[in-house]
Amino acid sequence: MWHLWLALCALARLWPGVLASCAKAGRCCPGRDPACFARGWRLDRVYGTCFCDQACRLTGDCCFDYARACPARPCFVGEWSDWSPCADQCKPATRVRRRSVRQEPRNGGAPCPPLEERAGCLEYARTLGQGCGDTFVPAFITTSAFNKERTRQATSPRWSKITEEPGYCVEFKTKSLTPHCALENQPLTRWMQYLREGYTVCVDCQPPAMNAENLRCSGDGLDSDGNQTLHWQAIGNPRCQGTWKKVRRVDQCSCPAVHSFIFI
């Protein structure tokens, strides 16, 4: 039997049409199709009914010429479109971009990659150009330990207008954060590891982060109603960011040190 099979292989190379069952039948079917068959030698060296559908690769009953008659063709896609505008203004939303299929996969070829991508975004102006105010400006934060250095900076004449302002504290409940926060292990960025979903954190608003005109820190969310999702980003690693909701404003922060931060 083995010698006969070798002879048939040699014959197929010399005269492909002799054993070209799928090609002769003109069949090449996607998926599993029991009606997509022909007569001829199968890949498992049995002569008789053989198949020309994509599933025959798994069942091992393909016609001898299946690979040549039905070559695998991968999916090809076009270039990404431009990003769409934010789905909403003045609050965290999403934008989207898409690409189209130029060639569908055939005969077990590589499937199409994702045709749509979404990303977070935040528009700072409304459609008519009106500003959103300070409520939805992302809060830039760092460890509360940095406040010691900033206290020394506050003696500069640049901040003399607001050094007498006692400041305030805002409590937030963390809703989400990127996995990059947990990867920080350098001495100056290790504080990011203590950011956790569902935890309440305290963020201090002190000079010189406080605006000299309105005596507020950018991104403090004081105009929000507590149900609005606000954005924050860690200073020192722009990939460490997330969302939170305002709980309340208090005069003094009372969170544990690992959950105490300051606005930058």
Side-chain angles (χ1 to χ4, degrees), residues 32-252:
R32 182 166 185 81
D33 186 354
C36 190
F37 64 88
R39 294 287 296 176
W41 286 96
R42 302 188 335 193
L43 290 177
D44 58 3
R45 306 171 192 169
V46 175
Y47 186 85
T49 300
C50 57
F51 292 86
C52 304
D53 61 343
Q54 183 180 336
C56 74
R57 291 180 178 270
L58 299 176
T59 55
D61 52 7
C62 296
C63 293
F64 180 83
D65 70 332
Y66 176 80
R68 182 174 58 82
C70 306
R73 299 185 185 277
C75 175
F76 286 112
V77 296
E79 298 294 325
W80 286 110
S81 67
D82 293 332
W83 284 104
S84 70
C86 264
D88 211 334
Q89 290 88 40
C90 296
K91 64 180 180 180
T94 57
R95 55 181 178 160
V96 63
R97 65 176 182 173
R98 298 181 175 89
R99 54 186 174 183
S100 59
V101 176
R102 298 289 179 83
Q103 174 181 286
E104 294 284 355
R106 296 179 58 188
N107 309 323
C112 295
L115 303 177
E116 180 179 288
E117 283 187 346
R118 294 181 178 271
C121 60
L122 183 63
E123 294 286 357
Y124 297 106
R126 302 183 187 278
T127 305
L128 299 179
Q130 181 183 0
C132 299
D134 295 331
T135 299
F136 297 105
V137 175
F140 292 95
I141 63 170
T142 189
T143 171
S144 59
F146 183 69
N147 208 33
K148 297 178 182 178
E149 176 65 24
R150 223 167 44 174
T151 300
R152 289 194 292 269
Q153 295 178 10
T155 60
S156 168
R158 178 184 177 188
W159 310 111
S160 59
K161 295 181 181 179
I162 55 176
T163 51
E164 299 300 318
E165 171 61 35
Y168 58 91
C169 177
V170 183
E171 294 179 2
F172 297 96
K173 187 169 184 178
T174 308
K175 306 300 293 185
S176 67
L177 70 159
T178 61
H180 300 91
C181 302
L183 301 178
E184 288 295 336
N185 199 32
Q186 299 300 315
L188 297 180
T189 58
R190 194 172 296 148
W191 60 272
M192 300 179 195
Q193 294 184 351
Y194 298 101
L195 290 160
R196 295 285 191 276
E197 291 183 6
Y199 278 45
T200 297
V201 299
C202 295
V203 187
D204 227 342
C205 176
Q206 299 290 341
M210 188 180 296
N211 185 285
E213 302 298 327
N214 58 23
L215 300 181
R216 287 175 51 179
C217 288
S218 179
D220 61 5
L222 289 184
D223 291 337
S224 65
D225 59 9
N227 291 320
Q228 294 165 329
T229 301
L230 308 171
H231 241 121
W232 58 266
Q233 179 177 314
I235 293 298
N237 180 4
R239 295 187 298 175
C240 176
Q241 52 186 283
T243 59
W244 54 26
K245 290 185 178 181
K246 186 193 76 175
V247 177
R248 60 175 180 163
R249 169 176 168 165
V250 293
D251 293 332
Q252 300 268 334

